[in-house]
Amino acid sequence: MRENSKKHCRSRHALRTHLRSLAAASLAAALAACQSFGSHDDEAAATVAPDAAAAQALEPIEVPYFPLKDEIVEQRDLLARLRGGFSWDDSKDPAIARELGWYAGHQQYLDRVLDRADSYLFYIVDELERRGMPTELALLPIVESAFDPFAYSHGRAAGLWQIIPSTGKRLGLEQNWWYDGRRDVLESTRAALDYLAEMHEEFNGDWLLAVAGYNSGEGNVERAIRRAAADGKPLDFWGIRSYLPAETRTYVPRLLAIRKLVADPLKYGISLRPLQNEAQFAVVDTGSQIDMALAAELAGIGTDELYALNAGLNRWATDPAGPHRLLVPAGQAETFATGLASLGERERVQWTRHRVKQGESIGGIADSYHTTAAVLREVNGIRGNAIHTGDYLMIPTATASLAHYTQSADSRAQRQQSTPRSGNREQHAVQSGETLWSIARQYGVDVRALASWNAMAPGDVLSVGRDLVVWTRDATTSGGAATAADSPQHVAVATAKRTDASAGAAIAPSSAANAQIRQVTYVVRPGDSLSSIARRFRVTVPKLLEWNTVNAEKYLHPGQHLVMFVNVLEQSG
């Protein structure tokens, strides 16, 4: 590929030379023609010709430069369009060179990132151009998430743009049981670009400071600027760098290294495959809630592909409160829209008529049908939680089995309950007044293990009638009561190395069973405890002890690193 590029460059150079020769010849001919046309009145021509001094006084005319463009490449390759929008100065720094060396030595990693980026990059470039922002910013998701929409970091950042919950709320991103806007491609891109534009204005038009603020928060950048000013240093990124957090000192050079690679991949001995310069998805208005399996069937694609484009969805259907739209592959948009138009609004989810039994609660019924009490109240016009034995409730339910919704939280819970473990498997139907603690004592098992087997947290409230899986100690098994050591999170393979992700976000294997499990490394902060960290990331203390060589009886130390495997979709809301 490198040799072909050189030949292409030589041919373009030859073409330029040829065109210049033609232009010179044309100019000479034109001048000659002017002379011949004016020869019949040489005296008149002489009277109007300016002298040398007058010619020097004339204001020069600037002739614009029009570069020779390869229209075929520009029309087809999105990366060529991306390069055309680069506007930052070409910085040189040893930190950039180090990052360049790493990326240049990992061609396969770059291939994987581009494969994922293909679905989203066109939209991001379009948005940047529409806003008049530099296209270098389209490369930021490579640093943040390696273009994995399900990426999840130790700082609880999620999605392509790795937005933390508090920043997401400030930027207007909804996060609830059904939906997490931080993973929504459209909403997260809108929020990230809003945030970057806001900091660009705050930092007097300096994009590198805006990027630094995106990573560390604008407060850290403001403090670094004040300290640099007090020490008489320049107030650009390179001047304040030493006052920024260590991660940010690497973060900006990493983005600049990727910019260099994209600008001239052959110079660094790598190849970047062309990306189609056209929309890879279309946005289709659904008008109301719709079942994801039904939507995938209408679009003629698999549910995994549909979830990848709509990664903000946590459940088997879209959020009843919206947004009422789905991203589908561009080539399937018309098929999907046509199929959708043929359905009535009540046909977009399956409806079940449920007769309330004695002792049932609205929350318990919602759990058993994989929905929420709020949805049941809205659909049935109920105020509060009061329902009566014999009443009928209309309930929206999934049209297919949970196996069809491999990316939903419910599907992951079923996989956890179905995972074979040591001991005897028993089924327990929750009775009124029971808790995970009381059930764990009844069976002689660890409460955190019980919660883990059922994709729950130890403090979760149980609904009456819910079926729990309990693994009791087998007679041939030694070592006491069953624990959480054989949780599916234990066997989920993930890595936090940059070869699979960047900035702390890890890429899980392609297996649907482990699609939402991410390994994260958490840096202990003052005041942290094992229990507080476990609650924050929705894991268990026994699992933290299993994943890390720490003693439960000893205090954690600030700066200590803990590894954990977390479920991305359980971090929402």
Side-chain angles (χ1 to χ4, degrees):
M1 176 175 281
R2 195 182 310 169
E3 184 61 33
N4 289 338
S5 178
K6 290 178 180 178
K7 291 179 179 178
H8 180 62
C9 291
R10 286 196 295 268
S11 65
R12 291 181 64 176
H13 178 73
L15 181 57
R16 287 195 185 97
T17 303
H18 181 60
L19 288 175
R20 290 182 185 128
S21 300
L22 288 177
S26 300
L27 180 60
L31 291 174
C34 290
Q35 289 174 349
S36 63
F37 289 146
S39 60
H40 71 283
D41 199 357
D42 290 341
E43 184 178 345
T47 61
V48 298
D51 59 19
Q56 289 179 353
L58 291 176
E59 183 178 353
I61 300 174
E62 182 179 351
V63 180
Y65 169 66
F66 297 99
L68 184 65
K69 298 182 178 181
D70 188 334
E71 295 183 359
I72 296 178
V73 173
E74 287 193 339
Q75 289 173 2
R76 294 183 180 178
D77 186 9
L78 178 59
L79 293 183
R81 174 184 170 190
L82 187 68
R83 294 180 192 108
F86 284 178
S87 61
W88 297 350
D89 292 336
D90 190 17
S91 304
K92 294 181 179 180
D93 187 88
I96 300 175
R98 285 193 298 271
E99 297 297 326
L100 266 170
W102 189 92
Y103 283 110
H106 291 81
Q107 176 71 57
Q108 291 184 347
Y109 168 78
L110 294 172
D111 292 342
R112 291 195 301 272
V113 171
L114 281 184
D115 285 344
R116 287 191 292 267
D118 202 13
S119 298
Y120 317 108
L121 189 58
F122 178 88
Y123 174 78
I124 294 171
V125 173
D126 249 14
E127 283 298 293
L128 288 168
E129 291 179 345
R130 184 180 66 82
R131 292 168 175 247
M133 298 171 73
T135 56
E136 282 96 340
L137 296 174
L139 303 173
L140 206 54
I142 298 179
V143 182
E144 288 287 352
S145 65
F147 270 103
D148 174 16
F150 289 103
Y152 186 75
S153 80
H154 67 275
R156 302 181 68 201
L160 292 176
W161 296 94
Q162 290 290 279
I163 300 172
I164 62 174
S166 58
T167 301
K169 289 177 182 177
R170 179 161 71 88
L171 296 171
L173 295 176
E174 184 68 32
Q175 300 162 61
N176 59 47
W177 189 82
W178 289 96
Y179 168 82
D180 190 338
R182 297 177 301 152
R183 295 195 311 271
D184 183 299
V185 175
L186 305 188
E187 274 296 281
S188 66
T189 298
R190 187 269 309 161
L193 300 191
D194 283 352
Y195 190 28
L196 285 162
E198 175 186 310
M199 287 187 289
H200 175 251
E201 182 176 355
E202 178 181 350
F203 297 131
N204 300 316
D206 191 318
W207 280 113
L208 293 191
L209 292 182
V211 170
Y214 189 89
N215 174 250
S216 66
E218 58 267 47
N220 278 320
V221 176
E222 290 165 358
R223 284 188 290 273
I225 289 174
R226 287 196 295 270
R227 293 178 63 188
D231 292 342
K233 294 187 176 181
L235 301 185
D236 60 4
F237 170 76
W238 306 107
I240 73 167
R241 175 171 50 170
S242 61
Y243 305 104
L244 291 169
E247 180 183 318
T248 309
R249 293 198 293 262
T250 302
Y251 181 88
V252 174
R254 185 169 295 169
L255 176 62
L256 295 175
I258 295 170
R259 177 194 184 277
K260 285 179 176 286
L261 286 174
V262 173
D264 194 355
L266 293 180
K267 178 178 178 180
Y268 301 101
I270 63 169
S271 62
L272 301 178
R273 72 173 182 85
L275 301 181
Q276 289 296 310
N277 189 21
E278 58 188 22
Q280 297 301 300
F281 60 77
V283 183
V284 179
D285 184 5
T286 60
S288 62
Q289 184 182 38
I290 186 170
D291 184 293
M292 289 292 281
L294 174 61
E297 182 181 347
L298 292 176
I301 61 176
T303 53
D304 280 359
E305 185 176 0
L306 188 60
Y307 272 110
L309 288 174
N310 299 274
L313 299 176
N314 291 333
R315 307 296 166 183
W316 55 269
T318 59
D319 187 344
H324 295 310
R325 45 105 170 125
L326 282 175
L327 275 56
V328 296
Q332 304 301 119
E334 185 176 351
T335 299
F336 177 62
T338 301
L340 191 63
S342 68
L343 297 177
E345 186 172 327
R346 302 283 287 190
E347 296 178 290
R348 296 180 182 187
V349 293
Q350 180 174 286
W351 292 88
T352 298
R353 190 167 181 257
H354 177 89
R355 189 173 189 270
V356 178
K357 302 179 182 65
Q358 185 174 2
E360 286 188 321
S361 67
I362 192 168
I365 294 171
D367 283 346
S368 64
Y369 285 98
H370 309 294
T371 187
T372 63
V375 170
L376 297 191
R377 283 193 289 267
E378 180 181 352
V379 169
N380 294 277
I382 298 172
R383 297 183 65 181
N385 294 318
I387 55 175
H388 304 93
T389 302
D391 286 351
Y392 285 94
L393 299 177
M394 293 302 296
I395 303 174
T397 57
T399 61
S401 68
L402 286 179
H404 287 79
Y405 310 90
T406 56
Q407 311 282 19
S408 73
D410 293 328
S411 186
R412 295 192 312 278
Q414 186 183 66
R415 286 196 296 272
Q416 283 187 264
Q417 289 187 322
S418 302
T419 301
R421 311 173 195 279
S422 60
N424 297 317
R425 186 183 191 276
E426 299 192 35
Q427 193 107 344
H428 179 91
V430 175
Q431 306 298 312
S432 179
E434 286 189 319
T435 65
L436 284 171
W437 291 94
S438 65
I439 296 170
R441 285 197 302 269
Q442 177 183 337
Y443 287 92
V445 298
D446 181 83
V447 66
R448 294 181 179 86
L450 177 62
S452 177
W453 298 331
N454 294 278
M456 301 178 68
D460 286 352
V461 177
L462 296 175
S463 55
V464 175
R466 178 169 182 168
D467 289 329
L468 298 180
V469 169
V470 184
W471 289 87
T472 59
R473 184 175 57 186
D474 189 275
T476 60
T477 303
S478 60
T483 69
D486 48 1
S487 162
Q489 291 186 350
H490 174 64
V491 298
V493 179
T495 172
K497 295 180 180 178
R498 184 169 48 173
T499 50
D500 289 321
S502 297
I507 304 302
S510 59
S511 163
N514 296 323
Q516 309 311 330
I517 302 298
R518 295 291 186 273
Q519 175 184 309
V520 299
T521 301
Y522 178 77
V523 181
V524 176
R525 302 171 184 175
D528 275 342
S529 66
L530 287 172
S531 58
S532 68
I533 294 170
R535 284 195 302 272
R536 182 181 305 168
F537 290 93
R538 291 173 170 83
V539 296
T540 66
V541 171
K543 295 305 295 181
L544 286 177
L545 295 174
E546 176 192 339
W547 295 327
N548 301 273
T549 54
V550 295
N551 189 329
E553 298 179 358
K554 293 185 178 181
Y555 291 107
L556 297 175
H557 304 289
Q560 187 174 350
H561 288 70
L562 296 180
V563 172
M564 64 189 88
F565 293 88
V566 303
N567 192 310
V568 173
L569 298 189
E570 290 179 359
Q571 310 304 316
S572 303

